[in-house]
Amino acid sequence: MTDRPRRPRRVQLSTPGSSEKMMQKAAASAADHVFLDLEDAVAPSQKRAARQKIVAALKELDWGKKTRCVRINDLTTEYAFEDIIEVVEGAGEHLDTIMMTKVMTAADILFADKLLHQLEKKLKLKHRIGLEALIEEVEGMQNIEAIARATPRLECLVFGMGDFSAAMGVANHAIGGDSAYPGDIWHYARFRLVMACRAAGIDPVDGPYADFKNPEGYRQECTRAMLLGCVGKWAIHPSQIDIALDVYSPRKEDIERARTFEKAYAEAEAKGLGAITIDGVMIDVASIRILRNTIKKAELYGM
């Protein structure tokens, strides 16, 4: 299997795997991607018990068309390999992706890839479980191109600016928030991640914004990442879901315009024309490539 499934990732809702109540709310939410967390949101004493709570939630709750993901502990801990084994053996077909944390090199991805391959054969799963990877350490950002191309199982990279701030020595008051830096302090990191993802054919996603009581600040960060090419952003609180969905969904008028222009260009191309003018705007093959991005998004989101 080499073809990656196309999954909506406009908003990835972070949900503690130790809380049945929060997982129930996540399943009922409007988020198109939910990751049930075994890492930072779960205390060490609760991690093993949380695995079984996650398995039960994946199997028993109605997740609709959501992407069902589990975030595991990083590979330097004692938990990671059993996180994968217990969740996959327990949830099986009810799990779509595993999210890896603090990925440093392509070898980290290949470890999980091989382990999942063995589990899929053992369990005779009919679908491949995808991988998502957090880039949140300096080493990971330095190795990002190799990481992005590590395996066809990898579907997405996420920029984790919280731990990345600590790794870089950046003094931010709140994770993902603004700072005294003149401009977007994360422009280069986001741009580099998006380029690596696009070159490898996978999704770039922006990470958390901690101040969930500041919706305008969250919207601004969503917009910054979206304009650089990210397909979505994390939500650490349900109040952030609608904002991310709004920012990362194409506008109805833009979809209609893109479809109208594509049709007009196809008709002109059939007549041997290489460029046309519509409403005073020149449309050529490069313009159509840009417009088709909007059309693809609309199709993916059912718009």
Side-chain angles (χ1 to χ4, degrees):
M1 293 181 289
T2 57
D3 294 334
R4 294 181 175 93
R6 295 185 66 211
R7 307 186 199 271
R9 289 185 168 93
R10 291 170 292 180
V11 55
Q12 295 189 329
L13 179 62
S14 173
T15 308
S18 55
S19 172
E20 291 100 331
K21 180 179 179 180
M22 289 188 179
M23 288 190 285
Q24 290 171 359
K25 288 184 176 181
S29 75
D32 46 26
H33 179 296
V34 174
F35 67 91
L36 307 180
D37 195 16
L38 284 168
E39 198 212 14
D40 289 348
V42 179
S45 62
Q46 300 299 313
K47 289 186 186 294
R48 289 184 171 84
R51 292 173 189 152
Q52 296 311 309
K53 291 181 180 180
I54 285 175
V55 168
L58 289 171
K59 294 173 71 173
E60 296 169 9
L61 298 178
D62 181 4
W63 295 94
K65 296 182 179 180
K66 292 177 176 61
T67 296
R68 301 156 297 179
C69 176
V70 173
R71 180 168 78 154
I72 65 170
N73 291 279
D74 75 82
L75 298 189
T76 67
T77 70
E78 64 191 86
Y79 307 107
F81 79 101
E82 288 181 332
D83 285 346
I84 296 174
I85 292 170
E86 290 188 26
V87 169
V88 173
E89 286 190 336
E93 301 285 347
H94 301 276
L95 176 66
D96 296 312
T97 64
I98 293 283
M99 183 183 293
M100 301 184 68
T101 55
K102 295 181 176 62
V103 172
M104 304 284 197
T105 68
D108 293 344
I109 302 295
L110 293 175
F111 165 81
D113 179 49
K114 294 296 185 184
L115 182 54
L116 285 170
H117 176 71
Q118 294 171 25
L119 286 166
E120 288 163 354
K121 290 188 72 174
K122 174 186 175 182
L123 301 170
K124 296 179 173 56
L125 296 184
K126 297 178 181 178
H127 79 290
R128 180 177 66 192
I129 296 172
L131 283 174
E132 310 186 9
L134 269 162
I135 304 299
E136 49 188 341
E137 297 290 336
V138 173
E139 294 92 333
M141 189 62 75
Q142 289 292 76
N143 295 319
I144 195 167
E145 287 81 11
I147 291 170
R149 295 180 180 274
T151 169
R153 189 188 295 275
L154 185 63
E155 299 181 12
C156 150
L157 293 184
V158 181
F159 176 44
M161 64 281 286
D163 279 295
F164 194 75
S165 295
M168 286 284 289
V170 173
N172 263 8
H173 294 298
I175 294 174
D178 213 346
S179 68
Y181 186 82
D184 178 8
I185 193 170
W186 301 125
H187 175 84
Y188 173 75
R190 284 169 169 156
F191 194 88
R192 189 170 179 186
L193 182 135
V194 171
M195 284 190 69
C197 286
R198 295 304 182 184
I202 62 178
D203 286 340
V205 174
D206 200 40
Y209 184 85
D211 187 4
F212 61 85
K213 293 185 178 181
N214 181 4
E216 288 309 311
Y218 180 70
R219 180 177 290 274
Q220 181 183 55
E221 293 303 308
C222 282
T223 301
R224 284 174 169 173
M226 181 272 294
L227 291 173
L228 286 175
C230 285
V231 302
K233 187 170 177 63
W234 277 14
I236 65 161
H237 189 274
S239 64
Q240 296 177 328
I241 294 174
D242 287 343
I243 297 172
L245 290 174
D246 180 54
V247 172
Y248 287 98
S249 299
R251 301 288 183 268
K252 181 180 179 181
E253 56 269 26
D254 291 335
I255 298 170
E256 293 174 351
R257 178 176 178 271
R259 287 174 172 158
T260 298
F261 282 20
E262 183 187 46
K263 181 180 179 181
Y265 185 78
E267 293 171 351
E269 194 175 35
K271 297 175 184 177
L273 299 175
I276 58 175
T277 300
I278 304 177
D279 299 333
V281 178
M282 187 195 78
I283 304 297
D284 60 10
V285 67
S287 308
I288 293 301
R289 282 189 67 189
I290 296 171
L291 292 170
R292 281 176 181 158
N293 286 334
T294 298
I295 295 171
K296 288 177 182 178
K297 289 178 183 178
E299 292 171 347
L300 180 61
Y301 306 146
M303 299 177 70

